[in-house]
């Protein structure tokens, strides 16, 4: 199947294997954040806090359930369905006013039908250390060159009606890349509430998986080995295992692929989940929109 034949179910991706959840540790970070806000403008504050975890890290082995607050930029993008808002895609928090997702998640959807839930962890549990925040969408800014046939330029920015500040330990922005690092050979982490396997169940707890970033030429060759001819230009970034087993799946499109930057240990938004064929099949890596290629466009939109 060609990329331009990828269905919505096979394009919205994520695969995880569950393990034990890391316990929450109490922290008195809200007071420190409130003090930081005084006398600091918004841009400086975002740069000060982005990509920094405020919770202890838990051990990762393959794909598993994430611990509370571990990925505080993760968003559940929800769409109105007859009587309620239901999870549709992932998204990532950029600042107090904007989130980023995949354009195919919001194509032909009026902003009034969208709801962003930020700081969520377990969809089935209201009793969590910190509550989530919800925001309606005022503006949907999809990339003007988005091609629904090829999934190229698969990015959209979403502006909230009301800002999120002050932040809290489970609601923090992700950093944008500040260079053109390709990340080939780096370990990336992808997160979401997508299906646990192709046509499988949806989890209630946010899931995570580690995948290696691979060269686009190698990515195309892997797809050829699987019987597919795919053109994967540099605006995409590939990540996945040759033998499969760990991947994104339906319900995770638009969510973040993040990498920890070596120089300062901050987490960087390297990609947004865009498309794939099936979930976790051998020689069929996940394909993500490469954020470093869109820094200028993103920063222009964020000024509004």
């Amino acid at each position: 199947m060609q990329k331009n034949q990828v269905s919505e179910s096979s394009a919205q991706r994520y695969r995880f294997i569950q393990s034990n959840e890391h316990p929450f540790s109490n922290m008195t970070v809200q007071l420190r954040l409130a003090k930081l806000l005084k006398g600091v403008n918004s841009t400086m504050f975002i740069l000060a806090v982005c990509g920094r975890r405020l919770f202890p890290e838990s051990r990762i082995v393959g794909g598993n359930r994430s611990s509370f607050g571990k990925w505080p930029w993760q968003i559940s993008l929800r769409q109105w369905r007859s009587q309620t808002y239901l999870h549709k895609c992932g998204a990532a928090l950029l600042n107090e006013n904007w989130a980023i997702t995949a354009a195919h998640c919001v194509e032909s959807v009026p902003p009034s039908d969208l709801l962003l839930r930020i700081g969520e962890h377990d969809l089935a549990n209201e009793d969590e250390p910190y509550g989530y925040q919800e925001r309606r969408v005022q503006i949907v800014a999809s990339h003007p060159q988005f091609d629904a046939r090829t999934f190229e330029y698969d990015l959209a920015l979403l502006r909230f009606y009301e800002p999120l500040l002050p932040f809290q330990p489970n609601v923090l922005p992700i950093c944008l890349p500040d260079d053109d690092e390709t990340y080939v050979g780096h370990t990336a982490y992808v997160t979401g509430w997508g299906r646990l396997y192709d046509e499988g169940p949806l989890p209630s707890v946010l899931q995570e998986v580690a995948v290696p970033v691979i060269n686009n030429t190698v990515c195309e060759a892997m797809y050829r080995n699987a019987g597919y001819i795919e053109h994967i230009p540099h605006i995409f970034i590939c990540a996945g295992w040759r033998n499969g087993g760990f991947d994104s799946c339906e319900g995770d499109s638009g969510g973040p692929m993040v990498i920890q930057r070596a120089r300062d240990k901050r987490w960087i938004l390297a990609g947004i989940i865009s498309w794939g064929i099936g979930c976790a099949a051998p020689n069929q890596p996940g394909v993500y929109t490469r954020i470093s290629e869109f820094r200028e466009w993103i920063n222009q939109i964020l000024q509004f």
Side-chain angles (χ1 to χ4, degrees), residues 81-256:
R81 302 289 190 185
S82 69
Q83 293 184 326
T84 188
Y85 288 97
L86 296 177
H87 174 82
K88 179 181 183 181
C89 283
L93 183 64
L94 295 181
N95 63 29
E96 72 272 23
N97 290 309
W98 289 92
I100 190 168
T101 188
H104 78 261
C105 288
V106 294
E107 186 183 26
S108 302
V109 180
S112 58
D113 281 357
L114 298 173
L115 181 72
L116 297 166
R117 182 176 288 186
I118 307 106
E120 178 64 281
H121 176 66
D122 185 346
L123 301 175
N125 182 13
E126 295 287 334
D127 185 21
E128 294 183 333
Y130 290 84
Y132 57 75
Q133 300 184 46
E134 289 185 334
R135 289 295 183 272
R136 301 289 298 276
V137 175
Q138 182 181 32
I139 298 171
V140 174
S142 293
H143 196 283
Q145 293 177 262
F146 170 60
D147 188 333
R149 182 181 62 89
T150 64
F151 280 63
E152 292 179 1
Y153 301 92
D154 192 11
L155 276 185
L157 295 173
L158 311 175
R159 182 176 171 85
F160 315 146
Y161 263 106
E162 298 176 347
L164 284 175
L165 288 177
F167 293 125
Q168 57 194 56
N170 61 326
V171 178
L172 291 167
I174 186 66
C175 297
L176 291 173
D178 58 9
D179 57 28
D180 295 322
E181 169 67 54
T182 65
Y183 300 116
V184 171
H186 290 242
T187 297
Y189 294 85
V190 283
T191 47
W193 291 275
R195 297 192 185 278
L196 297 177
Y197 49 86
D198 207 3
E199 304 297 327
L202 293 167
S204 65
V205 175
L206 180 66
Q207 305 287 303
E208 64 181 46
V209 69
V211 285
V213 176
I214 57 178
N215 179 281
N216 286 29
T217 302
V218 172
C219 189
E220 290 178 347
M222 289 172 67
Y223 269 103
R224 280 198 300 274
N225 289 338
Y228 304 99
I229 306 300
E230 301 290 348
H231 174 56
I232 305 174
H234 191 67
I235 56 172
F236 291 116
I237 181 171
C238 286
W241 299 94
R242 190 173 298 276
N243 293 330
F246 303 94
D247 196 5
S248 48
C249 205
E250 182 183 357
D252 296 305
S253 278

Side-chain angles (χ1 to χ4, degrees), residues 39-111:
V40 181
N41 69 38
S42 176
T43 301
M44 290 177 63
F45 182 66
I46 296 299
L47 293 175
V49 302
C50 75
R52 293 186 184 275
R53 286 192 186 129
L54 298 178
F55 282 79
E57 296 187 26
S58 61
R59 186 170 59 91
I60 296 173
V61 179
N64 57 85
R65 300 168 74 173
S66 71
S67 55
F68 183 87
K70 188 175 182 182
W71 311 106
W73 38 81
Q74 176 73 46
I75 296 175
S76 169
L77 172 59
R78 309 166 89 79
Q79 184 173 341
W80 181 258
R81 302 289 190 185
S82 69
Q83 293 184 326
T84 188
Y85 288 97
L86 296 177
H87 174 82
K88 179 181 183 181
C89 283
L93 183 64
L94 295 181
N95 63 29
E96 72 272 23
N97 290 309
W98 289 92
I100 190 168
T101 188
H104 78 261
C105 288
V106 294
E107 186 183 26
S108 302
V109 180

